Amino acid sequence: MTLRGRLTAAFLAVVLGPVLLGAFFVAGTMSQVGHQRAVERLELAANAARTSVGALCRQLHGAADTIAVTADPAHRAAAVRQLVGRGVAAAIAITDPAGRPVLTSPEQPVPQWLDCAATGPATGGAQALGVRVELRDGTGTVTGSVIALQPVDPGFVARLSGVTGAAVTLLTDTAGPPTAAQTTEADDGRDEVLATAAGLRGDGIAEAGNGRYVRRVGPDAEQPLPLVLSVPGDAAQGRSAVLIGAVLLAALLAVLAARALARSTTRPLDDLAYAVELVAQGDLTARVPVSSGDEIGRLAATFNRMTRETQSYVQALTGSRDQLRGHLAVLGDMLASTHDLPGILRVILRSALAATGAQAGLVLLVDPGSGTLVGQCGEGLQGRWPHPADPTEAQASLRDPRAIRVPIGVGVIGRVAATGEPRRGRVGPDRPLSRQEPACETYVAVPFTAPGVATGFVAPAPRSASGALAPKPTVLGVLVLYDRLGSDEFADEDLHTLGTFAGHAAVAVENVRVHEEVQRLSLTDPLTGLWNYRYLKESLHREVERASRFGRMLSVLVLDLDRFKEVNDTYGHAAGDVVLAAFAGRVRGEIREVDLAFRQGGEEFVVLLPETDAPGAAVVAERLGAAIRDTPIPVQPHSVGGVTPAGPALIAVTVSIGIAVFPDHAGTGQEVLDAADDALYAAKSAGRDTYRMAVRAPRADGPVPPTAPAGPGTGRPEPVAPRAVEETAATSSGASSVPRPPRSGRGG
């Protein structure tokens, strides 16, 4: 029998297994269906019981309300007789505030009854259901109560059983073991039903030993009676047992047959497995004896030929491996010691081209903002754009690789970036190139990720707002080579080699990004995220030089939170940090993208407004003051005396602002900053929550022009006589109209 015949027989044996399992499933399904039917019957019975008891309670409540709204005692007696006579309630009693009977129906109320409004455990065995309604006079004073009752007797329980379609047992006490007060359960099954009910909690359902399904209902808000409901189970257990036995027997026979077939099939493969194990341990001299001409015999012959060829390949690869290790060691040292990213990527690309024999190559990095791959460096790309969308694209890409932009998910390169999965192959209808990619016949492309993160396809990448696929978060870029020399296609070994170079590229990109991040952190304030004082000095010097070179203006705003020390003293320094961070966020939201915001220290901030004159700076100051003043900042205050307030506090904050303009008020960066600082003192002295414009630097041909103060608390300048633009800006100041307070008082 050939291997194909043996495998066919084994397949038939394996198919028999699922068939038998299906039979087993049918048996289980039959049992489950019987159980589900019992559960559904109990659910319907429980709902019917709640509905019936609830309707009775509402009927009793209506009777009690009818008596309670009848003011005349004589009419009350008639109403009691009428309601009892109609069967609305079995008994009705009217009591005084002390609970003594004042009026009772002919059918005396039972001494022990259960209130329909009760939701707790029932104890002592209730003889009736009842409703109590208070009697009140015209002033709202309680003058007694009305009690309407309905006995809970065997007839009631029998009627409830008929309504629910299940056997009903009324318990005497829910605090201890279940004890039947009234029941329609058969005598021979009552004890098993009660024993099963003792182990139930809530709406749980259990099967008793006599085959009945049991459920406890109440007491709860819908009905106050402690009940046990039971229904008979399905009687198909005998058929299920026979079916299960047949399934087990058939499964056993199938296992025995499959084992015998597997043994006859695998015996010829033992020799081959042993030889493969030797080869896996490095012994390429292992050979398999060829004892037959069937499929296994041909497999053994092919294995022997493979080991001989592998020996020759290993000898050739061993020499090239040592040479490649030396080059990679030198390359790795260079990558770890420099931050010249373009130079590093260029070296990596050239090394990859030399190692694989490719004719051309390209390195691209992901631009998360635009969702595209941007070229960084390329080799051998001349003439590879036969039909660009724009005739200038090909020449632009040759001059500057950054002109190459491939959307994520588009073309071969875009799909590699989107999935994080390396690719190699030949261009064809199933793997088309995008118009942004260089033309080629064969390619190999690998992604490179952040160090320590493995690549691999995990899920289809989401699409960005522009419709392009968004890259996996860990993918940094793609290394792609085109058209290998002397070979039709790139091999799997080229994927592994290119993966090594991609790993070095990832290290280089990550090193440069870490370096840039460290530089950024050294120039920003950690609390507010604004630029720090160090970067303020550099930026002020640079912006003043630019304004001077191009004949432009530069406005400087110095901002200080009013009475910030009181915030720290009242709410704690943690709340003060929240206020500073929120203040910084509002400042960022009110300035342009070209404007720069800094935290100079403490609660003092600086804003640089390039190409902005004095009136424009005043508008910005008004806008900043309104943004801070109009919306209090929510903070969580610190605990006082060990007690933490329940909710956040709203802190109303205002800001004082000093404005100076280069070159109107000073001639250097430090001088214009000092002038704005002096104007800030003037704003503080003028009552805070305002701004002041700095005094213009004295001219050689005349005195300082007059200024008018801004309105305190509004940040709006007082009207003055019109002058030139510079003089109008100065009119908004008032910095010279008040004496400068001592420097120690500026914190308020």
Side-chain angles (χ1 to χ4, degrees), residues 279 284 303-317:
V279 172
L284 296 179
F303 176 81
N304 293 336
R305 186 171 65 254
M306 178 193 68
T307 54
R308 285 193 296 269
E309 293 180 359
T310 303
Q311 277 185 296
S312 61
Y313 288 149
V314 169
Q315 292 173 359
L317 290 175

Side-chain angles (χ1 to χ4, degrees), residues 26 39 114 131 149 156 161 166 178 331 357 401 428 498 541 545 553 575 724 740:
V26 170
V39 170
L114 183 63
V131 173
L149 301 174
F156 173 84
S161 177
L331 180 61
L498 208 60
H541 178 73
E545 284 189 352
M553 290 187 173
R740 174 172 176 165

Side-chain angles (χ1 to χ4, degrees), residues 152-479:
V152 179
D153 51 16
F156 173 84
V157 176
R159 290 192 300 274
L160 191 58
S161 177
V163 171
T164 60
V168 178
T169 300
L170 175 64
L171 303 181
T172 60
D173 190 353
T174 59
T179 303
Q182 304 288 343
T183 182
T184 61
E185 194 73 53
D187 295 337
D188 56 350
R190 180 183 307 170
D191 294 337
E192 291 187 11
V193 169
L194 291 177
T196 304
L200 293 177
R201 295 293 183 271
D203 292 333
I205 297 175
E207 184 178 5
N210 58 357
R212 297 184 68 85
Y213 287 82
V214 182
R215 174 174 177 172
R216 295 184 68 163
V217 179
D220 52 34
E222 297 183 20
Q223 71 91 13
L225 294 177
L227 302 177
V228 174
L229 306 179
S230 69
V231 295
D234 197 348
Q237 297 180 356
R239 296 193 299 270
S240 299
V242 172
L243 184 58
I244 292 174
V247 167
L248 293 178
L249 179 60
L252 178 60
L253 294 176
V255 169
L256 294 176
R259 182 176 180 183
L261 290 171
R263 182 180 303 168
S264 64
T265 303
T266 58
R267 185 180 297 118
L269 296 175
D270 288 341
D271 292 340
L272 180 60
Y274 178 71
V276 170
E277 184 177 358
L278 293 178
V279 172
Q281 295 174 358
D283 184 8
L284 296 179
T285 62
R287 298 294 183 267
V288 179
V290 181
S291 58
S292 64
D294 62 3
E295 290 88 346
I296 294 182
R298 292 196 298 272
L299 178 61
T302 303
F303 176 81
N304 293 336
R305 186 171 65 254
M306 178 193 68
T307 54
R308 285 193 296 269
E309 293 180 359
T310 303
Q311 277 185 296
S312 61
Y313 288 149
V314 169
Q315 292 173 359
L317 290 175
T318 301
S320 61
R321 179 195 61 188
D322 296 337
Q323 184 180 8
L324 182 60
R325 283 179 177 176
H327 289 307
L328 291 178
V330 174
L331 180 61
D333 294 340
M334 183 191 70
L335 294 177
S337 60
T338 179
H339 296 131
D340 180 15
L341 184 59
I344 293 174
L345 296 180
R346 193 158 40 249
V347 171
I348 292 174
L349 177 60
R350 291 173 180 173
S351 300
L353 291 171
T356 59
Q359 298 183 36
L362 183 62
V363 178
L364 306 97
L365 295 182
V366 173
D367 180 10
S370 62
T372 59
L373 287 163
V374 180
Q376 303 298 314
C377 61
E379 294 286 340
L381 301 178
Q382 293 80 358
R384 291 186 177 271
W385 275 272
H387 49 273
D390 186 345
T392 62
E393 285 185 8
Q395 295 302 322
S397 62
L398 294 178
R399 291 191 303 270
D400 183 8
R402 290 186 173 273
I404 303 174
R405 294 181 176 269
V406 180
I408 302 297
V410 177
V412 173
I413 304 176
R415 287 194 294 272
V416 170
T419 63
E421 185 178 41
R423 292 173 178 261
R424 70 174 182 87
R426 181 178 295 275
V427 176
D430 58 333
R431 294 184 178 181
L433 295 173
S434 66
R435 300 179 66 88
Q436 295 84 2
E437 293 180 278
C440 66
E441 295 182 1
T442 61
Y443 64 88
V444 56
V446 296
F448 50 91
T449 65
V453 179
T455 60
F457 181 81
V458 292
R463 293 187 178 272
S464 63
S466 62
L469 283 174
K472 289 178 60 180
T474 57
V475 175
L476 302 177
V478 177
L479 173 59

Side-chain angles (χ1 to χ4, degrees), residues 438-614:
C440 66
E441 295 182 1
T442 61
Y443 64 88
V444 56
V446 296
F448 50 91
T449 65
V453 179
T455 60
F457 181 81
V458 292
R463 293 187 178 272
S464 63
S466 62
L469 283 174
K472 289 178 60 180
T474 57
V475 175
L476 302 177
V478 177
L479 173 59
V480 57
L481 304 182
Y482 301 107
D483 298 337
R484 182 178 183 181
L485 292 171
S487 179
D488 291 338
E489 291 187 18
F490 291 93
D492 289 338
E493 291 81 2
D494 298 317
L495 277 177
H496 296 303
T497 302
L498 208 60
T500 302
F501 288 105
H504 289 309
V507 172
V509 172
E510 192 67 16
N511 285 346
V512 171
R513 291 185 176 180
V514 170
H515 177 71
E516 292 175 350
E517 180 66 12
V518 170
Q519 284 188 320
R520 186 190 67 81
L521 292 176
S522 67
L523 298 176
T524 56
D525 175 60
L527 175 62
T528 62
L530 301 180
W531 299 110
N532 59 18
Y533 181 75
R534 171 187 171 188
Y535 193 60
L536 168 63
K537 292 297 184 181
E538 298 178 8
S539 302
L540 184 60
H541 178 73
R542 181 181 64 252
E543 294 297 333
V544 167
E545 284 189 352
R546 181 180 297 149
S548 177
R549 184 183 308 115
F550 296 104
R552 307 288 175 82
M553 290 187 173
L554 171 67
S555 293
V556 179
L557 277 63
V558 178
L559 304 88
D560 190 88
L561 290 174
D562 298 327
R563 299 182 175 90
F564 184 72
K565 184 177 182 300
E566 297 179 6
V567 174
N568 283 334
D569 293 343
T570 304
Y571 300 96
H573 288 278
D577 291 344
V578 173
V579 171
L580 291 175
F583 174 78
R586 296 184 186 180
V587 170
R588 281 194 300 265
E590 296 295 331
I591 62 178
R592 303 169 300 178
E593 186 175 352
V594 297
D595 301 332
L596 299 174
F598 309 82
R599 184 186 181 192
Q600 187 169 230
E603 66 272 20
E604 186 168 300
F605 299 79
V606 176
V607 176
L608 302 184
L609 306 177
E611 301 187 17
T612 303
D613 57 8

